[in-house]
Amino acid sequence: MKEQLAKIRADALSAFENVKDAAALDELRVRYLGKKGELTAVLKQMGRLSAEERPAMGALANEVRAALENALDSASQKIEQAALELKLKAETVDVTIPGRQVQMGCRHPMNTALDEFKEIFIGMGFTVLDGPEIELAELNFDRLNAEEGHPSRDWSDTFYFDTDERVMLRSQTSPMQVRAMDSMELPIRMIAPGRVYRKDEVDATHSPMFHQVEGMVIDRGVTMADLKGTLTTVAQKIYGSNTKTRFRPHHFPFTEPSCEMDVQCHKCDGAGCATCKGEGWIELLGAGMIHPRVLEMAGIDPEEWSGWAFGFGLDRLAMLRYKIDDLRLIFENDVRFLEQF
Ligand code: PHE
């Protein structure tokens, strides 16, 4: 038994001495000191010893256990220390490396154009509204007097979410007119910029997603003269005080009368050039007097109140403003392009 204990001690100490990692150390601990370990196995034989032999052997066994536990402790400390050193080495930071330069970005040209536009309208007492891009067809069409069967409601033009054609990606910002009528106190002066979606193929002037700004005024005694005066003032603030505007008759289901507004080409002063494709004028927006039926559907008495509204493509405005000839450049977010603004 004495020899057994001596052998365990020698084996264990040398094993603890050479162990390399925590998992292996734990295996050794179980093997030598565990409940079913070698030392316990020897101690279980103590019963067979005579009463005289037992104390000395007990003392020896305890001594061996203490030695083993000591060795286990120091082995475990050694392993921890080694792991820590390895970790510190891996995490060294070279504080002498120069810092990375922060690259300042710039505003997207479309946002700059939008900010200018908002400033002009805020200065005239308009509120800026934000609304959902996922819209009810009821607001995008029905409440805007575009009846069932209206061509713009067709599947080939509109992104619907359901076969019932009730939920859609808004195809215009005009449902914001309805939302404003439903939620704001009269009189109303608001603009509402945002994304709109139509099933268009992508080319230099078309994209299935583009940006519009809606505008609406409802008050007592509002006439077409207010529409023309306000929109001409806005065009002059954007393109210069000599800018001429032209209003052509048009049709929208939710305005009557309806019109489109052109601005005289700021590049050729109406003579005709590449920018205006030889026309001398550039089409800027659709507008009109709010249809009495639209007011009625919102619970507004068209005998007492009247209003006008407009909607235009913000991307186009930014393109004109910054002389960008391809719409795709606005959406691609190529830094080499955006850096120029
Ligand atoms: N919503 C129309 C369009 O997308 C524009 C418009 C807005 C026309 C408001 C009149 C009044 O073409």
Side-chain angles (χ1 to χ4, degrees):
M1 210 168 165
K2 218 171 174 174
E3 291 79 52
Q4 272 179 311
L5 285 173
K7 185 169 165 19
I8 291 174
R9 179 191 198 132
D11 285 356
L13 290 187
S14 109
F16 284 148
E17 185 71 30
N18 295 317
V19 70
K20 289 275 171 299
D21 61 74
L25 182 63
D26 200 52
E27 261 173 44
L28 291 178
R29 180 186 60 76
V30 173
R31 177 165 158 203
Y32 290 111
L33 287 162
K35 267 193 196 137
K36 289 177 184 158
E38 293 189 12
L39 192 59
T40 317
V42 174
L43 292 178
K44 275 184 185 152
Q45 298 166 25
M46 291 280 269
R48 278 194 246 138
L49 295 175
S50 66
E52 296 85 61
E53 285 174 307
R54 226 177 275 163
M57 205 51 78
L60 181 61
N62 281 338
E63 198 192 304
V64 170
R65 172 180 292 281
L68 259 53
E69 280 170 354
N70 254 332
L72 175 73
D73 269 359
S74 52
S76 143
Q77 270 174 31
K78 229 167 75 185
I79 287 170
E80 257 175 47
Q81 186 63 32
L84 182 67
E85 264 161 35
L86 216 73
K87 193 168 168 230
L88 288 176
K89 216 167 170 183
E91 286 176 358
T92 24
V93 175
D94 183 351
V95 292
T96 65
I97 293 176
R100 217 173 280 161
Q101 275 235 328
V102 177
Q103 290 243 341
M104 285 296 274
C106 57
R107 279 187 86 67
H108 193 287
M110 205 187 56
N111 281 312
T112 309
L114 177 58
D115 281 352
E116 272 180 29
F117 196 77
K118 279 189 197 166
E119 283 305 316
I120 294 169
F121 277 93
I122 290 169
M124 297 191 298
F126 283 62
T127 304
V128 181
L129 299 185
D130 190 20
E133 289 166 35
I134 297 173
E135 184 57 281
L136 296 172
E138 187 194 345
L139 271 66
N140 194 97
F141 293 129
D142 302 275
R143 293 277 308 271
L144 288 168
N145 202 32
E147 277 136 24
E148 295 289 331
H150 191 275
S152 64
R153 302 185 70 134
D154 203 275
W155 272 85
S156 59
D157 290 327
T158 298
F159 294 102
Y160 289 104
F161 286 90
D162 54 345
T163 45
D164 302 344
E165 303 179 7
R166 286 171 40 158
V167 184
M168 57 182 287
L169 285 171
R170 65 178 175 189
S171 63
Q172 51 186 353
T173 43
S174 299
M176 287 307 291
Q177 291 184 30
V178 180
R179 287 182 177 273
M181 289 181 216
D182 286 351
S183 64
M184 293 172 79
E185 296 282 329
L186 296 171
I188 295 172
R189 280 173 179 68
M190 71 84 177
I191 58 168
R195 293 190 189 94
V196 302
Y197 302 84
R198 288 179 200 176
K199 285 189 181 167
D200 276 331
E201 300 290 335
V202 185
D203 65 25
T205 53
H206 292 90
S207 153
M209 185 281 293
F210 56 102
H211 299 81
Q212 282 192 333
V213 183
E214 195 77 11
M216 182 179 76
V217 172
I218 302 178
D219 205 339
R220 291 186 177 89
V222 170
T223 70
M224 190 96 184
D226 298 299
L227 180 162
K228 291 177 78 173
T230 309
L231 292 179
T232 300
T233 304
V234 171
Q236 288 173 345
K237 291 215 165 150
I238 296 174
Y239 294 109
S241 52
N242 295 323
T243 304
K244 290 192 177 60
T245 52
R246 172 174 90 171
F247 293 82
R248 286 177 290 103
H250 202 76
H251 172 77
F252 300 105
F254 41 90
T255 47
E256 182 58 37
S258 303
C259 61
E260 279 188 331
M261 182 179 92
D262 301 337
V263 286
Q264 195 166 62
C265 182
H266 49 285
K267 250 189 152 178
C268 61
D269 285 332
C273 67
T275 303
C276 58
K277 299 194 185 82
E279 295 278 324
W281 296 87
I282 297 167
E283 180 196 318
L284 210 60
L285 53 83
M289 300 305 294
I290 300 170
H291 199 297
R293 219 176 295 156
V294 172
L295 292 174
E296 263 167 10
M297 281 190 273
I300 298 170
D301 180 3
E303 297 295 329
E304 185 181 354
W305 303 91
S306 57
W308 55 271
F310 69 89
F312 77 93
L314 182 60
D315 313 285
R316 179 106 65 81
L317 185 84
M319 284 170 78
L320 279 173
R321 172 85 173 64
Y322 293 106
K323 304 182 177 63
I324 300 165
D325 53 14
D326 194 324
L327 179 67
R328 286 167 288 198
L329 288 166
I330 295 197
F331 301 132
E332 275 166 1
N333 283 337
D334 185 329
V335 176
R336 290 167 302 176
F337 166 73
L338 295 175
E339 266 172 356
Q340 304 171 67
F341 303 99

